[in-house]
Amino acid sequence: MITTLNLNRHRKAKIWLGELPNLINPEHGCLERSLPGRTSTLTHRQQGAIEMLVPSAGRALYGLLGGEFLPTDSGELIVKVAVSENAEIEMPGSLASNLDTVYRGLPVEYADSVFNGIGDAGEILGSGILSCNCAAHSPVGSSPRMFRQIALILVRLIASQTASVSEEEFTEEELTRLVSAG
């Protein structure tokens, strides 16, 4: 299910639940970290992605991050982040397409920001494997801070196990609060 949300202050978000955008490139390298993880309350694979466009101080911040979580009883959370080291293919039809050029993939310089945003995922998701394997970025609008924020939102989205997202609940409870600092 794909939902597009028009949030306050001209912010926009596109959310995928139970599926991922067609951005996975099996040739991308992966960086990996291990975090302690409690026993997961999730019982099956969860997928989700979030694309955000946040107008801020004369520019529009942009990022897209998606992935899947597979629960295990290992006692740890393995986080894998796919990174692209080369220029990627342009991605038409993104939320930022008419403001900036958007490219598929996550540049390696944003990987630490994704890991920082996922920092509490072992407590939130529990033990298992979290693969952040689809992403998009823009040369002007993307930033480490934006990828840290959408990584945090992605973890909470996957943990919610919700089948749909309404503008009201995400505007008030999640997205606006999490990106209020822009």
Side-chain angles (χ1 to χ4, degrees):
M1 174 180 184
I2 303 171
T3 304
T4 301
L5 306 175
N6 291 307
L7 307 169
N8 64 4
R9 295 190 281 171
H10 306 289
R11 300 169 188 201
K12 293 183 181 182
K14 189 182 288 185
I15 297 171
W16 289 259
L17 293 169
E19 63 182 293
L20 296 172
N22 187 19
L23 298 172
I24 298 171
N25 184 341
E27 295 177 13
H28 284 171
C30 268
L31 301 177
E32 188 175 307
R33 292 196 184 159
S34 176
L35 304 170
R38 61 170 176 72
T39 301
S40 183
T41 59
L42 301 172
T43 58
H44 60 283
R45 183 177 69 149
Q46 299 284 329
Q47 292 182 314
I50 182 158
E51 177 183 27
M52 291 199 65
L53 180 67
V54 180
S56 175
R59 73 176 193 167
L61 301 175
Y62 175 79
L64 185 153
L65 186 66
E68 63 183 21
F69 174 71
L70 182 61
T72 67
D73 58 2
S74 66
E76 67 179 346
L77 176 66
I78 304 297
V79 180
K80 298 179 180 184
V81 176
V83 293
S84 54
E85 295 185 23
N86 302 326
E88 287 291 322
I89 300 168
E90 281 189 44
M91 183 183 124
S94 78
L95 293 177
S97 289
N98 57 350
L99 302 171
D100 200 354
T101 305
V102 175
Y103 296 98
R104 298 169 186 240
L106 181 74
V108 72
E109 63 262 23
Y110 296 135
D112 281 339
S113 297
V114 172
F115 284 121
N116 289 336
I118 291 173
D120 294 335
E123 289 299 313
I124 297 168
L125 295 173
S127 64
I129 301 168
L130 175 62
S131 298
C132 296
N133 53 6
C134 69
H137 69 283
S138 67
V140 176
S142 292
S143 70
R145 184 176 186 175
M146 186 64 173
F147 275 100
R148 185 180 68 245
Q149 289 175 327
I150 60 176
L152 173 62
I153 295 169
L154 176 64
V155 167
R156 294 181 188 279
L157 182 67
I158 289 173
S160 73
Q161 299 187 67
T162 188
S164 67
V165 176
S166 72
E167 289 189 33
E168 295 79 23
E169 76 183 2
F170 248 67
T171 299
E172 293 175 20
E173 295 178 16
E174 213 48 53
L175 296 180
T176 300
R177 182 179 63 76
L178 289 169
V179 296
S180 62

